[in-house]
Amino acid sequence: IKNRKEKNMDRFYTCEEVADLYRVKKTTVWAWIRKGKLFAVRIGKVYRIRENDLAAFEKSSMSAIK
């Protein structure tokens, strides 16, 4: 699939991928999810974070710094 937007398919990240991206521990990502700072969907026993939700998290985190 060349264009995810055309097919309405979002990229999903694992908690481990998000932790690597932000250079934090997985437990920190889980805490963000539990506190409602980062939206995630639970698939089976694991969380997945949509690309759009990750972008929203970044935007809200940046606005909190200002």
Side-chain angles (χ1 to χ4, degrees):
I1 298 172
K2 290 184 179 183
N3 190 344
R4 291 178 188 264
K5 301 292 183 197
E6 285 180 14
K7 299 291 182 183
N8 198 19
M9 294 179 62
D10 289 329
R11 164 121 165 55
F12 283 84
Y13 293 89
T14 64
C15 289
E16 186 172 357
E17 290 173 323
V18 173
D20 289 343
L21 185 65
Y22 292 107
R23 295 188 171 117
V24 297
K25 294 181 180 182
K26 281 193 296 186
T27 54
T28 302
V29 176
W30 294 335
W32 291 339
I33 294 168
R34 278 194 314 274
K35 292 178 183 177
K37 293 181 178 183
L38 177 61
F39 182 77
V41 292
R42 191 167 182 152
I43 301 173
K45 294 184 178 183
V46 295
Y47 287 109
R48 294 287 187 260
I49 299 98
R50 288 185 330 172
E51 193 169 33
N52 292 344
D53 294 324
L54 197 54
F57 171 76
E58 287 180 9
K59 187 175 181 178
S60 69
S61 296
M62 292 303 292
S63 65
I65 293 172
K66 292 181 182 180

